Amino acid sequence: MIGPVEIDRWGQAGMSALRAQDFVTARECFEAIVAAGGADAAVWLALSMACKGAGDRAAELAAVTQLLDRDPDNIRANLIKADALLHLGSKRAAMGFYQHVETLVPDLADVPTPIATELQRARQDHARLKQEMDAHLQRALAAAGFNPATSSRRFSDSLDLLSGRKQRYVSTPRAYFFPELPVIEFFDRQRFDWLEALEAATDDICEELVPILADGRHFSPYIEVEAEKSAHVAGSSRGNGVSAPEDWTAAYLIRDGKVCEPLASQCPKTMAALANVPLETIQGRAPFALFSRLTPGAWIMPHTGFLNTRLVCHLPLLVPDGCWFRVGNQVRLWERGRAWVFDDTIEHEARNQGTGTRVVLIFNIWHPDLTAEERELVAALMTGVDQFEQVSNAGRLGFQ
């Protein structure tokens, strides 16, 4: 029976041999510990280093795998395994371990310089592997007839996600999630036959907007509106971040399902254009329609909306140069009179880097993939959520 004293002696001898770069002796000492059943994480790590020094990369890989079975997030072990796999020609497997190391240490400033240097080298190796793989896949796909300009956009997106050129975004509503709805950043215009008629009214809407902007009294910080909503909606978090509340203001034509006077009466052509749109309808909540004003330099920080049962439409009215909007991976420039429909439960942000004021007409519509019954049930559910507090308060008042 080999006891701890003998195991400790082998360990000390192995480390001395390792420091002296006598890798054969070091390997023999550590393998003796393994055979005696005394190997811990440190022994497996030392054995992998001895095997590498001895030129046996396969044995190095086997030893470090034993360590990772015991400590999957060991940074050094993951790095050793990635390097060993790369040396043995297993490029795809090596990429997985390099990626895990980057996940474990996202910021190299958080680690000591010697380790950071090694991790930076590993990141360069990983980047090179990704470039090699991407080039290989592009050649293979070209041979199969793939053309990024004409082939399936969805397939092109999948390729960008695989290569890391794009990030995967999902629907993350802050209040209510309806399952099995597709996660689409910007929806295909062809799905909305009312868009062209709305866009055709752009000049009329802008004509009504000009005196409202000059007056200014109808605009108030949008961030305050969001704060009111988040206070009583289950599952919500902070309101939408903006550089300053006065930088992002709203003038409501319809709010919480009610027409806002006198502004609506000042905009008859705008209201007529909205009458042909399938607006979301929920008692006490929707529809809503507003002029959204963003001042020069303003930034609406990344955020998500409340419900994925609705989509949001923007009709750009005043668009100076330097204004952009991002939903998920897609960044677009607003173009006067060119509307789009997007899912606001996907992370999105907006910025006005121009010198003039940006104004967009914004409203919500039902998600087109909801059935008529589902729309009615969602509306009833949201109304019930709003009524719950009222009913509860009324009950408490009755017992006072």
Side-chain angles (χ1 to χ4, degrees):
M1 180 87 178
I2 298 175
V5 174
E6 186 69 12
I7 289 175
D8 184 61
R9 184 177 66 81
W10 279 334
Q12 292 183 32
M15 292 306 297
S16 295
L18 196 59
R19 285 191 291 269
Q21 298 189 5
D22 181 359
F23 300 116
V24 173
T25 299
R27 178 176 180 176
E28 290 174 352
C29 291
F30 297 131
E31 287 181 338
I33 297 174
V34 171
D40 58 11
V43 169
W44 286 115
L45 178 60
L47 177 58
S48 72
M49 296 169 67
C51 291
K52 178 181 179 181
D56 191 342
R57 302 304 294 265
E60 175 197 16
L61 183 61
V64 79
T65 298
Q66 290 290 333
L67 170 54
L68 286 172
D69 286 345
R70 293 158 175 78
D71 185 6
D73 291 338
N74 186 295
I75 296 171
R76 187 171 182 81
N78 275 279
L79 190 55
I80 289 172
K81 185 161 185 176
D83 289 342
L85 286 166
L86 180 57
H87 180 83
L88 294 169
S90 299
K91 294 182 178 181
R92 285 181 57 198
M95 290 173 69
F97 286 93
Y98 283 132
Q99 180 62 54
H100 190 48
V101 171
E102 292 178 14
T103 302
L104 293 171
V105 190
D107 189 351
L108 297 184
D110 296 336
V111 297
T113 300
I115 301 175
T117 301
E118 184 66 8
L119 292 174
Q120 181 61 39
R121 188 274 307 163
R123 291 190 175 189
Q124 292 171 353
D125 287 343
H126 189 203
R128 176 177 55 79
L129 285 173
K130 288 193 289 188
Q131 290 176 349
E132 288 182 10
M133 182 177 180
D134 186 54
H136 170 77
L137 293 176
Q138 292 289 351
R139 289 191 296 270
L141 291 170
F146 173 67
N147 184 334
T150 58
S151 296
S152 164
R153 178 192 57 79
R154 292 192 300 173
F155 178 79
S156 294
D157 286 344
S158 76
L159 189 60
D160 288 339
L161 291 170
L162 178 65
S163 67
R165 287 188 294 269
K166 288 184 178 179
Q167 177 182 343
R168 184 184 176 209
Y169 289 92
V170 297
S171 174
T172 54
R174 289 189 274 160
Y176 175 68
F177 176 76
F178 193 99
E180 298 186 24
L181 292 178
V183 181
I184 300 172
E185 295 165 350
F186 289 95
F187 277 66
D188 189 337
R189 291 175 52 86
Q190 303 305 315
R191 300 196 64 178
F192 311 103
D193 56 9
W194 44 267
L195 265 182
E196 289 188 4
L198 176 73
E199 292 169 338
T202 297
D203 288 343
D204 289 338
I205 296 172
C206 286
E207 182 181 348
E208 294 176 339
L209 171 65
V210 170
I212 296 168
L213 282 173
D215 183 286
R217 291 178 299 172
H218 295 287
F219 285 89
S220 60
Y222 184 84
I223 197 74
E224 294 178 359
V225 175
E226 285 294 295
E228 292 174 8
K229 288 182 180 180
S230 63
H232 68 271
V233 178
S236 67
S237 59
R238 64 174 176 81
N240 302 327
V242 67
S243 45
E246 63 273 13
D247 290 342
W248 182 19
T249 55
Y252 275 80
L253 296 158
I254 308 171
R255 181 174 175 181
D256 297 333
K258 297 179 181 179
V259 174
C260 297
E261 296 292 0
L263 185 60
S265 294
Q266 296 174 351
C267 303
K269 295 178 181 178
T270 303
M271 296 298 289
L274 289 171
N276 297 318
V277 174
L279 298 172
E280 175 196 34
T281 305
I282 299 176
Q283 181 181 346
R285 287 195 180 213
F288 77 73
L290 66 140
F291 295 118
S292 172
R293 181 174 64 180
L294 204 60
T295 60
W299 176 30
I300 304 173
M301 300 173 191
H303 62 285
T304 60
F306 287 92
L307 316 171
N308 70 326
T309 51
R310 69 187 187 189
L311 301 178
V312 179
C313 181
H314 285 179
L315 176 64
L317 302 173
L318 300 180
V319 187
D321 292 339
C323 292
W324 55 262
F325 184 64
R326 177 184 69 85
V327 182
N329 288 294
Q330 294 194 52
V331 178
R332 294 188 177 185
L333 300 177
W334 278 288
E335 180 183 344
R336 184 183 185 276
R338 183 70 171 175
W340 59 50
V341 180
F342 70 98
D343 183 345
D344 78 329
T345 65
I346 300 172
E347 182 186 276
H348 59 287
E349 62 180 313
R351 197 154 197 172
N352 181 356
Q353 294 180 303
T355 58
T357 297
R358 184 233 65 180
V359 180
V360 176
L361 177 66
I362 300 179
F363 54 87
N364 280 0
I365 63 171
W366 283 112
H367 196 294
D369 290 332
L370 290 177
T371 66
E373 178 197 24
E374 288 168 341
R375 295 180 185 186
E376 292 178 5
L377 290 174
V378 170
L381 176 64
M382 294 298 106
T383 300
V385 168
D386 291 337
Q387 291 175 342
F388 174 72
E389 185 176 349
Q390 301 169 14
V391 171
S392 299
N393 289 337
R396 285 195 295 271
L397 290 171
F399 284 101
Q400 289 180 347

